[in-house]
């Protein structure tokens, strides 16, 4: 982790969490932030399901915790039943939108082109897109992990990336929710390859400011080792973000 990039620990609640989690999880985290004696050396974000966003926004108000959504549509508005516009997400207080999570790429067949449009929409609405990339186990076993991931970065990241409007999340698909994690060496190598690809396109200075998160079974027990890597600038946390003690411990490992 570089001094110039603030570590971001973002919790992806996925299709979990209900009204109980507004105070029980988001409010609990806000209370812990308020109890800190000094400014934390990390940024926390929570990404609950859509209906909870306004309530969670209230629960974390003035805590310093950022709000994020798990998806948005690529168009500004229109006849897209069931979808949510980036503009509305920004209006309810979101600073981040996760786009291109592997579960959406799999469950909804999202392509790099669609992910890029969603990222563009999020950025146009004034938020940062958290663009997710990652290889499957078969792709890694075939020695194609870097080619696949860098290809997704090239295809999914819109023009005009800055440190403020873009975060990348490297999430090996085989590590999500499985308890398996990339080795520190493999994670660092992939993050460095992603940063090199961003540097080719946006210049070294911009690439040096863009945060690249690791995701895939990050837990309190393995967070410190992963977060200490030179090009790992935080974590996108699934399962462990649903337990306040665990999510907080990962933040502490970063700070
Ligand atoms: C995720 O889905 O973004 C994720 C990283 O999940 P988990 O931490 O549960 O592996």
């Amino acid at each position: 982790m570089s001094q110039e990039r603030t570590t971001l620990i973002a919790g992806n609640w996925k299709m979990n969490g209900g009204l109980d989690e507004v105070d029980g999880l988001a409010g609990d985290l806000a209370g812990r932030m308020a109890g800190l004696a000094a400014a934390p050396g990390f940024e926390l974000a929570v990404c609950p399901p859509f209906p909870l966003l306004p309530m969670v926004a209230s629960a974390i108000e003035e805590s310093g915790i950022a709000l994020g959504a798990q998806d948005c549509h690529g168009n500004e508005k229109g006849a897209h039943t069931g979808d949510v516009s980036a503009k509305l997400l920004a209006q309810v207080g979101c600073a981040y939108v996760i786009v291109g999570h592997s579960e959406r790429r799999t469950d909804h067949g999202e392509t790099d082109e669609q992910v890029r449009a969603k990222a563009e929409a999020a950025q146009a609405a004034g938020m940062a897109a958290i663009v997710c990339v990652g290889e499957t186990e078969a792709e890694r076993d075939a020695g194609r992990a870097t080619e696949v991931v860098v290809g997704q970065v090239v295809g999914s990241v819109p023009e005009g990336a800055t440190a403020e409007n873009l975060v990348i999340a490297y999430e090996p698909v085989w590590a999500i929710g499985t308890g398996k994690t990339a080795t520190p060496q493999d994670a660092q190598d992939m993050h460095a390859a992603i940063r090199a690809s961003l540097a080719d396109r946006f210049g070294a200075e911009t690439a040096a400011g863009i945060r690249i998160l690791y995701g895939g079974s990050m837990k309190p027990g393995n967070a410190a080792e992963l977060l200490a890597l030179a090009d790992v600038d935080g974590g996108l946390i699934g399962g462990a973000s649903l337990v306040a003690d665990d999510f907080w411990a990962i933040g502490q490992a970063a700070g």
Side-chain angles (χ1 to χ4, degrees):
M1 172 68 207
S2 137
Q3 293 306 312
E4 55 194 300
R5 300 184 292 268
T6 303
T7 303
L8 172 62
I9 305 296
N12 174 14
W13 292 11
K14 310 193 190 195
M15 200 173 72
N16 297 299
L19 295 176
D20 287 348
E21 276 64 38
V22 173
D23 286 332
L25 182 50
D28 179 317
L29 293 167
R32 293 178 197 231
M33 288 290 269
L36 288 175
F42 56 89
E43 180 185 357
L44 281 191
V46 289
C47 306
F50 289 136
L52 296 184
L53 286 168
M55 286 175 275
V56 170
S58 298
I60 62 176
E61 204 175 355
E62 292 181 12
S63 68
I65 300 175
L67 186 67
Q70 299 175 20
D71 186 39
C72 67
H73 197 277
N75 289 3
E76 199 186 329
K77 61 180 179 175
H80 303 288
T81 303
D83 283 312
V84 177
S85 74
K87 185 176 171 187
L88 180 56
L89 296 175
Q91 279 177 356
V92 300
C94 290
Y96 295 100
V97 186
I98 299 169
V99 294
H101 192 283
S102 64
E103 286 153 12
R104 291 207 62 87
R105 290 179 188 260
T106 303
D107 293 355
H108 301 275
E110 289 186 5
T111 63
D112 284 344
E113 196 181 10
Q114 288 169 315
V115 174
R116 185 182 182 127
K118 288 171 183 236
E120 228 156 16
Q123 292 170 341
M127 298 176 288
I130 302 178
V131 176
C132 300
V133 294
E135 83 285 359
T136 63
E137 191 153 36
E139 288 162 344
R140 176 158 286 273
D141 290 348
R144 298 185 51 234
T146 307
E147 171 200 335
V148 167
V149 168
V150 169
Q152 288 175 339
V153 171
V154 171
S156 305
V157 172
E159 294 305 328
T162 67
E164 288 72 41
N165 72 13
L166 179 70
V167 175
I168 303 285
Y170 167 56
E171 302 203 299
V173 177
W174 47 269
I176 295 178
T178 60
K180 298 184 203 169
T181 44
T183 64
Q185 188 64 59
D186 285 348
Q188 170 55 29
D189 289 350
M190 190 62 83
H191 282 233
I194 293 170
R195 199 175 306 284
S197 155
L198 294 171
D200 281 349
R201 199 159 148 210
F202 304 113
E205 196 178 327
T206 297
I210 294 172
R211 290 175 293 181
I212 306 175
L213 314 184
Y214 172 81
S217 299
M218 192 184 273
K219 308 267 185 240
N222 60 23
E225 187 178 31
L226 289 159
L227 294 170
L229 298 168
D231 285 291
V232 174
D233 308 313
L236 183 54
I237 320 297
S241 74
L242 297 168
V243 179
D245 282 346
D246 288 354
F247 192 55
W248 187 250
I250 293 172
Q252 298 292 299

